[in-house]
Amino acid sequence: MHDIARLANVSTPTVSRVLNGSSLVTAETRDRVLEVAKTHGYAVNRNAQKLRNARTNTIAVMLDFGSHRHGAIGDPFIFELLAGVSEALSIRDQDLLLSPPGLQSARDFRDFFRARGADGFIVLGQGTRDDMLRTLARESIPLVVWGAVAPDAPYCAVGSDNLEGGTLAGRHFLARQRKRWLFIGDTRHEELRLRYEGLRLAAKDREDVTIDLLPIASMAFTATAQAVTAHLDTVDRPDAVFAFSDTAAMAALGAFRASGLCAPGDLSLVGYNNIPPAAHFSPAITTIDQKTDLAGALLVEKLMQQIDGGRPTSVVLPTDIVVRET
């Protein structure tokens, strides 16, 4: 910057102001400094700039790799969320650091934050990490989570009304006079537990309805299909199925079809998330819709409030059922 200042016949602080977009510099001076910088190949070292500032202007976005077989996430819903977060961060001129390696424990997160690896964390999916997230929140590490909203959770969360989503699925089954229901999902995940509880709530006064639970440790497509196939070989076949995601619903449909069962004739099926392929699958999947178009912006807004010293509240987004062929 000293060289640019000398060549442009201005002070070094003026060069700094120009390169940082300050409005305190005249247009004529700004153009002259930028032209000199361009001619001599000067560019701002962003990493050095971050070291001088109180913030890194970097947000770490953490995916729940642990809930997927071999750490491979294939559910389009996660990438819809990620796209929304990425767009909201870019509007705020924040860098996105995607799932930096080695962050497995609360201590790892804490050390990464204190080493100024990022200004805060957006966690897409609680998975089975609720205890760790609570620990981080109690240590005042900026953190926002996409997932279930619990009244006693010390961290800020944004998520859909999972209990209502399950209830809507149950009412859908009752309207079609289905009696043997199956919920597919790992209820160790708070989001999925609430969906299961909502399903049970819809049938609480119905003695003629039975609800089975098929827990699946991995959210991967193939693992879900294999689990459903094995389940069909050991129990009475269901006439209604509520899957933890649309991707899981697609996997289940394939397993049912191989066993000679088809929706909607033999069974009713409801997925979750309303990903775009659900409407074009054959048959088109009835699903619970989440307002993912709002989620990314909300997650970023809540985190930035924390980084600025605020105490943002959690948000429960509305859910609705989208009835299609299944």
Side-chain angles (χ1 to χ4, degrees):
M1 282 200 298
H2 290 294
D3 293 333
I4 300 302
R6 176 174 52 81
L7 292 168
N9 195 28
V10 297
S11 67
T12 302
T14 297
V15 175
S16 178
R17 292 189 188 100
V18 169
L19 297 177
N20 282 290
S22 172
S23 60
L24 300 177
V25 183
T26 66
E28 180 183 355
T29 299
R30 181 179 66 252
D31 291 344
R32 185 167 75 254
V33 170
L34 291 176
E35 180 61 30
V36 171
K38 179 180 178 181
T39 300
H40 293 273
Y42 180 83
V44 176
N45 185 323
R46 294 196 65 191
N47 289 327
Q49 186 182 56
K50 290 176 181 179
L51 289 174
R52 292 194 303 272
N53 297 332
R55 294 182 183 175
T56 68
N57 292 330
T58 298
I59 302 301
V61 179
M62 311 302 298
L63 304 184
D64 182 21
F65 287 107
S67 296
H68 299 262
R69 179 169 290 182
H70 307 306
I73 295 178
D75 195 326
F77 174 70
I78 295 297
F79 298 103
E80 285 190 40
L81 275 180
L82 181 59
V85 169
S86 176
E87 181 180 7
L89 288 174
S90 67
I91 292 172
R92 290 177 173 270
D93 199 25
Q94 301 291 304
D95 289 336
L96 187 157
L97 182 60
L98 183 60
S99 286
L103 302 189
Q104 302 296 329
S105 67
R107 179 176 180 176
D108 295 333
F109 275 78
R110 180 173 57 250
D111 291 347
F112 188 81
F113 173 72
R114 290 178 177 174
R116 299 184 66 192
D119 294 327
F121 301 91
I122 294 176
V123 179
L124 300 184
Q126 288 153 319
T128 57
R129 301 176 292 179
D130 183 63
D131 288 344
M132 183 192 74
L133 297 173
R134 289 172 182 260
T135 298
L136 291 173
R138 285 191 288 267
E139 296 183 7
S140 300
I141 293 177
L143 171 76
V144 177
V145 178
W146 168 265
V149 176
D152 65 333
Y155 56 81
C156 178
V158 176
S160 72
D161 191 338
N162 293 282
L163 187 71
E164 176 65 11
T167 303
L168 290 170
R171 291 172 182 166
H172 178 74
F173 296 154
L174 290 174
R176 280 146 186 79
Q177 300 182 0
R178 303 299 190 179
K179 303 295 180 62
R180 298 186 309 279
W181 301 359
L182 174 65
F183 178 79
I184 301 173
D186 187 350
T187 54
R188 293 178 303 168
H189 296 224
E190 184 63 11
E191 289 177 277
L192 307 192
R193 186 192 69 79
L194 288 170
R195 294 172 196 177
Y196 177 55
E197 291 301 323
L199 189 68
R200 295 178 61 192
L201 186 64
K204 68 175 182 177
D205 297 323
R206 296 291 297 266
E207 296 181 358
D208 58 336
V209 172
T210 60
I211 304 177
D212 289 330
L213 171 64
L214 177 57
I216 299 177
S218 171
M219 292 185 173
F221 184 95
T222 301
T224 301
Q226 291 172 344
V228 172
T229 298
H231 181 79
L232 292 175
D233 291 337
T234 59
V235 298
D236 291 337
R237 297 183 174 188
D239 61 8
V241 177
F242 182 28
F244 65 86
S245 72
D246 292 335
T247 304
M250 295 175 188
L253 275 174
F256 287 128
R257 189 177 295 116
S259 297
L261 298 175
C262 296
D266 299 312
L267 59 100
S268 296
L269 178 78
V270 176
Y272 210 100
N273 295 330
N274 194 25
I275 60 175
H280 305 286
F281 198 76
S282 182
I285 294 174
T286 296
T287 185
I288 304 299
D289 182 48
Q290 304 187 87
K291 304 301 181 184
T292 51
D293 55 329
L294 302 175
L298 277 172
L299 287 164
V300 171
E301 174 64 25
K302 297 290 183 179
L303 182 62
M304 299 311 295
Q305 288 177 18
Q306 281 189 55
I307 293 172
D308 289 335
R311 296 175 60 86
T313 57
S314 296
V315 175
V316 178
L317 299 175
T319 55
D320 199 6
I321 188 167
V322 180
V323 179
R324 298 192 179 107
E325 293 176 353
T326 65

